């Protein structure tokens, strides 16, 4: 039997439920279905959409689109670009999992990478200015 892909909706529902420390029976009761039906959904043996998907998303305090589509592709691409400039080892194979589980943190990583890039550009501009302006260079050395 094949292992379900982590990109499937049921798998995402199960991961979110476990992250919240919620029992399967408790989530099933909140959304008005049987625990066995929720088990089938979580193991990707039953499709889910519409009102039930919305109810599960609300109960898990997550956007329904995140459950069906996973992390935002733009965020994933930006995180991968940021990782390309990292000095240490980065687990590129786990970027999507990270972004799905922690969308707020993923957004912050992307914002920080953008800020680092902008600051690097400013440092380069100031360095160029310093090397091409002898009066500024002399004043800096005098200080």
């Amino acid at each position: 039997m094949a292992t379900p892909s982590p990109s499937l909706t049921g798998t995402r529902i199960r991961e979110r439920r476990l992250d919240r420390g919620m029992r399967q029976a408790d989530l099933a009761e909140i959304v008005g279905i049987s625990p066995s039906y929720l088990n089938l959904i979580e193991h990707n043996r039953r499709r889910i959409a519409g009102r039930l998907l919305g109810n599960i998303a609300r109960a898990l305090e997550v956007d329904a689109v995140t459950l069906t589509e996973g992390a935002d592709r733009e965020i994933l691409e930006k995180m991968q670009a940021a990782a390309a400039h990292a000095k240490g080892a980065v687990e590129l194979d786990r970027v999507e999992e990270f972004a799905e589980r922690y969308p707020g943190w993923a957004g912050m990583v992307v914002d920080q990478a953008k800020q680092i890039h902008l600051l690097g550009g400013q440092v380069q501009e100031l360095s160029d200015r310093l090397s091409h302006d002898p009066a500024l260079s002399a004043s800096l050395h005098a200080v």
Side-chain angles (χ1 to χ4, degrees), residues 69-82 95-96 99 103 106-107 109-111 113-114:
E69 296 179 11
D72 182 355
R73 290 290 151 210
E74 182 180 356
I75 291 282
L76 290 176
E77 289 170 6
K78 288 180 179 180
M79 285 185 66
Q80 289 168 339
V95 169
E96 186 169 3
V109 167
V110 168
D111 291 344
K114 181 179 177 183

Side-chain angles (χ1 to χ4, degrees), residues 79-80 82-95:
M79 285 185 66
Q80 289 168 339
H85 301 291
K87 293 187 181 184
V90 179
E91 297 132 337
L92 287 174
D93 58 325
R94 301 195 69 190
V95 169

Side-chain angles (χ1 to χ4, degrees), residues 47-67:
R47 292 182 183 258
I48 179 173
R51 187 183 330 201
L52 180 56
L53 177 62
N55 290 344
I56 289 174
R58 278 189 293 285
L60 295 175
E61 297 178 0
V62 66
D63 187 4
V65 173
T66 302
L67 292 176

Side-chain angles (χ1 to χ4, degrees), residues 12-30:
R12 286 193 194 100
I13 290 170
R14 182 173 188 275
E15 288 174 351
R16 295 292 174 157
R17 178 181 58 75
L18 292 173
D19 285 346
R20 297 203 35 134
M22 187 181 284
R23 292 179 334 127
Q24 199 174 54
D26 295 336
L27 179 58
E29 183 179 337
I30 290 169

Side-chain angles (χ1 to χ4, degrees), residues 116-134:
I116 289 168
H117 179 74
L118 292 173
L119 289 172
Q122 289 176 343
V123 167
Q124 185 61 46
E125 286 176 26
L126 291 172
S127 177
D128 289 347
R129 182 173 172 202
L130 184 61
S131 64
H132 292 96
D133 187 342

